[in-house]
Amino acid sequence: MTTRIYFGSNQLGDVAASALQEALNEFHLGTLEDYQRTNKGVMGQTLLIRSSHGEYILKGNPIYPGQLEEEKFFVEQLAKHTSIPVPDPYWLHKDTALLGWSYAIMPRLPGDHLYDPSFQSSLTSQDQEEIACMLAHALADLHRWKVPDTGEYDSVAKQIVSFAGNYLDWLYGTIRHWLHDAEQYSVITDEDIHWVDEQLKQAEPAFQSKVVPGFVMGDFKVENVLIQKGDSPSSRWQISGLFDFTTSYFGDGTADLTKMSARYIREGQPDLAAQFLRCYRDLVCAADVEKYQHFRAHLRVHLLYQRILWWGEAKATGQVTWAAELPFAQWAEQYMDSVLSLLD
């Protein structure tokens, strides 16, 4: 279920203070003092709670059975396998009697979001460059958690279950599924489909090379990352919190580069996108030319996948923001080429 894409969610609705106090009592987390909706909260599923013991995030009304169980698994495992701060402990209450749905409570993590305008305005150009490279280092750290086979966590089996077929079958099948889904809302021509098939065919050798699968967050973006810097002059920027692992799986970590790169480019900061991509490249490829060529081929396919999803969602919702109407293949290729040129 982790790799399924959801464009909607279950909202929490109105939650009584008395019910929240009972939720806190389940885990001995003190007396409720205040609570509110979180800014840009996970699809309306989260509340910020202040109690006599501290600040917590409540997440509830799961989108699908097992959502919170999956997230608990990833939080606990990432705390063991990486140095990235995650919301651990992750207290999970499966009984729906109290709030009408199962819920989890976790510590509120410190730091700032890059999307916060006031925080952004306080950063120097050097800060921005250091942060972009720091984010690349954090991703490399996450991707060092390796497993024997590609797949996703199954909350019923309580273990990682391999994808049907191999990773290439799953990835290419998923890409083609969403391309055909976009045909419901927009014009996808035979030429577009042929072009996508050619992109996938050209990348096959790179994906068929033996690579040990690792953790993929699946949603590495500014909304799910908190950062901070210590007070001393020698302090470095670091991730102070990472959360929302409902689309995490095990496969090719290059997939995690696409959303942060897209944001930098969308914000008119291609130099920071280049800094982010090059720092990651240097960490995972070093001076290995063959590994670098495979990295570029992987990134091109993941950028294509991102473009398909964005095109389909934008067309379906009427939120078409690009200035000129271009055929899908031309629109996607221009973007993919521009991102890959940042590596040169």
Side-chain angles (χ1 to χ4, degrees), residues 153-159:
Y153 181 75
D154 187 307
S155 61
V156 176
K158 293 182 170 52
Q159 63 182 15

Side-chain angles (χ1 to χ4, degrees), residues 32-33 41 63 99 105 115 154 156 168 179 254 261 293 298 303 313:
L32 179 68
E33 295 179 350
I63 304 171
L99 297 175
I105 298 179
Y115 65 71
D154 187 307
V156 176
L168 200 62
L179 179 65
T254 312
S261 301
Q293 292 304 321
H298 289 196
L303 290 169
E313 182 180 8

Side-chain angles (χ1 to χ4, degrees), residues 102-147:
S102 59
Y103 65 90
I105 298 179
M106 62 203 87
R108 183 192 187 187
L109 299 170
D112 294 288
H113 285 287
L114 270 173
Y115 65 71
D116 184 337
S118 61
F119 178 60
Q120 273 281 348
S121 64
S122 71
L123 300 175
T124 65
S125 58
Q126 183 178 344
D127 287 330
Q128 295 275 18
E129 291 176 5
E130 290 178 2
I131 289 168
C133 203
M134 178 273 292
L135 293 172
H137 276 264
L139 269 185
D141 188 4
L142 291 172
H143 297 159
R144 289 188 190 103
W145 175 16
K146 304 296 185 183
V147 295

Side-chain angles (χ1 to χ4, degrees), residues 252-268:
D252 172 32
T254 312
D256 276 335
L257 297 171
T258 60
K259 291 188 177 180
M260 196 65 72
S261 301
R263 182 188 184 277
Y264 278 135
I265 292 169
R266 188 171 63 251
E267 296 294 318

Side-chain angles (χ1 to χ4, degrees), residues 24-189:
L24 290 172
N25 292 344
E26 290 289 336
F27 301 106
H28 311 289
L29 296 177
T31 303
L32 179 68
E33 295 179 350
D34 186 27
Y35 66 98
Q36 63 187 57
R37 305 286 176 187
T38 57
N39 292 330
K40 295 183 182 280
V42 185
M43 297 187 290
Q45 289 186 291
T46 53
L47 293 175
L48 168 61
I49 297 176
R50 295 182 177 87
S51 84
S52 56
H53 286 191
E55 294 187 332
Y56 304 94
I57 299 295
L58 180 145
K59 184 173 184 176
N61 202 5
I63 304 171
Y64 56 86
Q67 179 192 355
L68 301 181
E69 288 85 346
E70 283 181 296
E71 188 158 52
K72 178 179 174 65
F73 167 80
F74 283 115
V75 164
E76 292 176 347
Q77 293 301 312
L78 286 168
K80 296 176 183 178
H81 290 281
T82 78
S83 61
I84 306 296
V86 292
D88 184 44
Y90 188 98
W91 296 287
L92 176 58
H93 191 73
K94 298 180 182 179
D95 191 350
T96 62
L98 178 59
L99 297 175
W101 24 258
S102 59
Y103 65 90
I105 298 179
M106 62 203 87
R108 183 192 187 187
L109 299 170
D112 294 288
H113 285 287
L114 270 173
Y115 65 71
D116 184 337
S118 61
F119 178 60
Q120 273 281 348
S121 64
S122 71
L123 300 175
T124 65
S125 58
Q126 183 178 344
D127 287 330
Q128 295 275 18
E129 291 176 5
E130 290 178 2
I131 289 168
C133 203
M134 178 273 292
L135 293 172
H137 276 264
L139 269 185
D141 188 4
L142 291 172
H143 297 159
R144 289 188 190 103
W145 175 16
K146 304 296 185 183
V147 295
D149 196 11
T150 60
E152 58 187 338
Y153 181 75
D154 187 307
S155 61
V156 176
K158 293 182 170 52
Q159 63 182 15
I160 302 166
V161 175
S162 300
F163 293 130
N166 58 34
Y167 176 69
L168 200 62
D169 294 333
W170 171 79
L171 177 62
Y172 282 18
T174 304
I175 289 172
R176 289 186 170 109
H177 165 81
W178 288 108
L179 179 65
H180 291 300
D181 182 77
E183 289 182 290
Q184 302 178 62
Y185 316 107
S186 64
V187 176
I188 300 291
T189 66

